[in-house]
Amino acid sequence: MRILLAEDDAMIGDAVRTSLRQEGYAVEWVRDGRAAETALATEHFDLALLDLGLPGKDGIEVIQGVRQRKQAIPLIVITARDGVGERIKGLDAGADDYVVKPFDMDELLARIRSALRRSAGHAEPSIEVMGVRLNPATREVTRDGQPVLLSAREYAVVEALMLRPGVILSRAQLAERMYAWGEEVESNTVEVHIHGARRKLGSDFIQNVRGVGYFVPKPGAKA
């Protein structure tokens, strides 16, 4: 999952980016509203975290621009503006959630998981394919009822594929979900993480269409 973080405070931005990357998210961090607007208009992101008091262009204006372009991306406001009027303004502009600084990182992560789950259209918290169950809310993965420990990037691959079972994702699309824009991606890194996930979840779980990409079968498919 790729997240855009728009935050001009260096200490907060660095702390949030570090925590998100530790959770397996690919994070692009920008420090002003115009850069956030450009990124959201030209790049794919699964979710955006936006400060309201951004230089260059206010966060409210960025949110309004996203909604005017009919983009359905979840937007979470992170700001020190804690007045009720400010919250109402942010939500009315099109924000999906509102977190006031200083915030607990675990709470922010829970709100991110909830927003992503709603965006994906999953009323139920878990997805199951071929005996593999993934819970996006807790980021837990089990196989035949037994917990499986995946690395952050193995999880990113598995989640991307399980959220769209039966849909082939290219190597580039999977790399996009594992790494922030501009990060160096080695030529075989996607294959390495797929190999690791297959070793833990079954060699036939992630399937390959040569020259096209990878997919997991739709729920109910037999091994």
Side-chain angles (χ1 to χ4, degrees), residues 168-210:
I168 300 171
L169 297 183
S170 68
R171 178 188 175 279
Q173 287 174 311
L174 291 173
E176 186 178 72
R177 284 157 175 77
M178 288 190 290
Y179 294 90
W181 184 86
E183 277 192 272
E184 185 176 350
V185 182
E186 295 183 8
S187 60
N188 68 337
T189 188
V190 172
E191 288 77 9
V192 167
H193 295 305
I194 287 176
H195 175 76
R198 280 173 167 164
R199 181 168 50 82
K200 298 171 183 178
L201 300 175
S203 59
D204 57 349
F205 178 65
I206 297 176
Q207 299 184 19
N208 173 237
V209 177
R210 189 176 297 276

Side-chain angles (χ1 to χ4, degrees), residues 46-47 73-76 96-97 109-121:
D46 297 287
L47 179 141
I73 177 176
L75 302 174
I76 299 179
D96 296 277
D97 206 346
L109 289 168
R111 289 174 182 265
I112 288 171
R113 292 192 296 268
S114 178
L116 289 171
R117 189 166 64 247
R118 291 195 303 271
S119 175

Side-chain angles (χ1 to χ4, degrees), residues 38-55:
T38 299
L40 288 166
T42 59
E43 298 284 337
H44 166 78
F45 294 96
D46 297 287
L47 179 141
L49 300 171
L50 298 167
D51 185 17
L52 292 185
L54 293 168

Side-chain angles (χ1 to χ4, degrees), residues 15-121:
V16 172
R17 179 177 61 177
T18 298
S19 295
L20 291 175
R21 285 182 173 176
Q22 287 174 345
E23 291 295 314
Y25 297 108
V27 184
E28 175 70 9
W29 177 19
V30 297
R31 295 164 175 78
D32 66 77
R34 295 195 185 282
E37 183 175 59
T38 299
L40 288 166
T42 59
E43 298 284 337
H44 166 78
F45 294 96
D46 297 287
L47 179 141
L49 300 171
L50 298 167
D51 185 17
L52 292 185
L54 293 168
K57 195 162 195 174
D58 188 85
I60 291 291
E61 294 178 90
V62 176
I63 293 170
Q64 290 172 334
V66 169
R67 297 315 183 207
Q68 287 169 3
R69 291 191 297 273
K70 307 299 183 183
Q71 292 177 267
I73 177 176
L75 302 174
I76 299 179
V77 169
I78 51 172
T79 183
R81 301 179 188 176
D82 60 354
V84 173
E86 291 292 343
R87 297 189 191 199
I88 292 172
K89 187 186 297 183
L91 293 170
D92 282 347
D96 296 277
D97 206 346
Y98 200 107
V99 182
V100 177
K101 301 173 184 175
F103 50 82
D104 182 87
M105 195 62 213
D106 286 338
E107 179 187 359
L108 179 60
L109 289 168
R111 289 174 182 265
I112 288 171
R113 292 192 296 268
S114 178
L116 289 171
R117 189 166 64 247
R118 291 195 303 271
S119 175

Side-chain angles (χ1 to χ4, degrees), residues 119-177:
S119 175
H122 294 294
E124 295 297 323
S126 297
I127 312 160
E128 184 168 355
V129 176
M130 293 174 62
V132 175
R133 181 179 291 270
L134 178 144
N135 187 326
T138 62
R139 301 175 73 83
E140 294 176 315
V141 178
T142 62
R143 180 188 179 193
D144 298 328
Q146 299 300 310
V148 177
L149 182 62
L150 299 176
S151 71
R153 284 178 172 150
E154 288 170 354
Y155 177 87
V157 168
V158 171
E159 182 182 57
L161 293 171
M162 289 190 71
L163 286 173
R164 302 181 68 188
V167 176
I168 300 171
L169 297 183
S170 68
R171 178 188 175 279
Q173 287 174 311
L174 291 173
E176 186 178 72
R177 284 157 175 77

